[in-house]
Amino acid sequence: MNNETTTLISLKEAMKRVDHKLQALEAQFRELDFTKENLMQKFEHHSKTLANQAAQDEMWTAVRALKFTSMELNILYSYVIEVLICLHTRVLEKLPDLVRGLPTLASVLRRKVKNERIRVVWDSILEECGLQEGDITALCTFFIAHGNKAEHYTAKARQMYIRDITFLITNMVKNQALQDSLLRAVQVIEKAKAVRTPEEQKSPLKGSIPSIKN
């Protein structure tokens, strides 16, 4: 075997070793990319969790800071609870086979996370009402904070005590997200009231108040 042949063989072996190293490096880079992607996803999830927690803390603080008289609080509570009951009732109307499994609004909110059918119905109802998930968070927070001491007023009583609920909300509620959610809640109920018969307006609530806390 001459020197030229020996050199060629050595060169091929060296190229194979280089090729193997390159393949190993590519595998390492793929693993690093995968690890980086996982870390980025975890970081984004953690950031969203922190942002959501901060938003919830801010909403809770805003709700607790409301300075309403007992009468004003009762009127706001009445709108809030009627919206929550309305949403729960409409879910049950669209999912009659799940009535026994969705006894409260809390059960709807809990199960929609993993149940696509419930989630689709829920999303469609929110869209029909002109509401967003943030509104539900705000309204549920209001209910949890004040539901144990507030009373429900009928539509007739509300109108007798306060002529302009919109003016009250815009002037007394400083947190913009909470203000918008309460205004939308009023709009939902007033719009629904406009299409009810006089007999239906006397009994605006269907069924009992659904649990929010559980």
Side-chain angles (χ1 to χ4, degrees):
M1 182 180 297
N2 56 35
N3 291 336
E4 185 179 346
T5 303
T6 302
T7 301
L8 183 60
I9 292 174
S10 298
L11 182 59
K12 287 182 177 180
E13 291 177 349
M15 290 178 66
K16 285 182 180 180
R17 289 195 295 271
V18 170
D19 187 52
H20 289 158
K21 287 182 178 180
L22 287 174
Q23 290 178 5
L25 286 172
E26 287 178 358
Q28 290 178 4
F29 277 120
R30 284 195 296 270
E31 185 176 352
L32 286 173
D33 285 340
F34 180 74
T35 302
K36 182 188 74 173
E37 188 67 27
N38 279 343
L39 287 173
M40 287 297 294
Q41 289 179 359
K42 289 180 180 179
F43 176 76
E44 290 176 1
H45 176 72
H46 185 60
S47 297
K48 289 179 180 179
T49 300
L50 289 176
N52 289 337
Q53 184 62 52
Q56 290 173 7
D57 291 343
E58 182 180 354
M59 182 59 67
W60 180 258
T61 300
V63 168
R64 298 290 293 179
L66 294 175
K67 302 297 183 182
F68 289 113
T69 66
S70 295
M71 179 191 67
E72 292 168 343
L73 187 64
N74 288 339
I75 290 174
L76 281 177
Y77 167 81
S78 300
Y79 279 107
V80 169
I81 196 61
E82 286 187 22
V83 168
L84 297 179
I85 290 176
C86 175
L87 293 173
H88 181 228
T89 301
R90 294 185 67 173
V91 169
L92 299 184
E93 288 174 349
K94 294 195 174 189
L95 298 172
D97 56 314
L98 297 181
V99 168
R100 297 184 65 179
L102 300 172
T104 64
L105 180 62
S107 63
V108 174
L109 298 177
R110 187 170 55 249
R111 291 189 59 186
K112 75 180 178 63
V113 177
K114 296 183 178 180
N115 189 308
E116 183 179 0
R117 185 177 170 217
I118 297 175
R119 184 169 62 253
V120 169
V121 167
W122 174 257
D123 290 343
S124 69
I125 291 173
L126 288 188
E127 184 176 357
E128 290 169 4
C129 294
L131 297 172
Q132 301 175 2
E133 284 291 350
D135 297 322
I136 306 307
T137 299
L139 298 179
C140 287
T141 302
F142 183 97
F143 174 83
I144 293 171
H146 300 293
N148 63 330
K149 57 186 176 182
E151 298 178 10
H152 176 263
Y153 284 6
T154 64
K156 185 176 181 180
R158 294 198 295 262
Q159 188 174 14
M160 180 171 56
Y161 288 130
I162 293 182
R163 291 291 181 181
D164 193 347
I165 186 65
T166 298
F167 179 81
L168 176 68
I169 294 172
T170 53
N171 280 273
M172 296 292 290
V173 181
K174 305 306 179 184
N175 181 279
Q176 191 63 53
L178 178 57
Q179 181 186 120
D180 291 343
S181 296
L182 290 173
L183 289 174
R184 278 192 278 269
V186 170
Q187 290 173 358
V188 170
I189 296 306
E190 292 301 322
K191 184 178 179 180
K193 187 177 69 174
V195 298
R196 289 197 192 110
T197 64
E199 289 73 18
E200 289 174 328
Q201 291 184 30
K202 293 178 183 178
S203 303
L205 300 182
K206 294 181 178 180
S208 59
I209 296 175
S211 170
I212 305 296
K213 300 179 184 180
N214 296 328

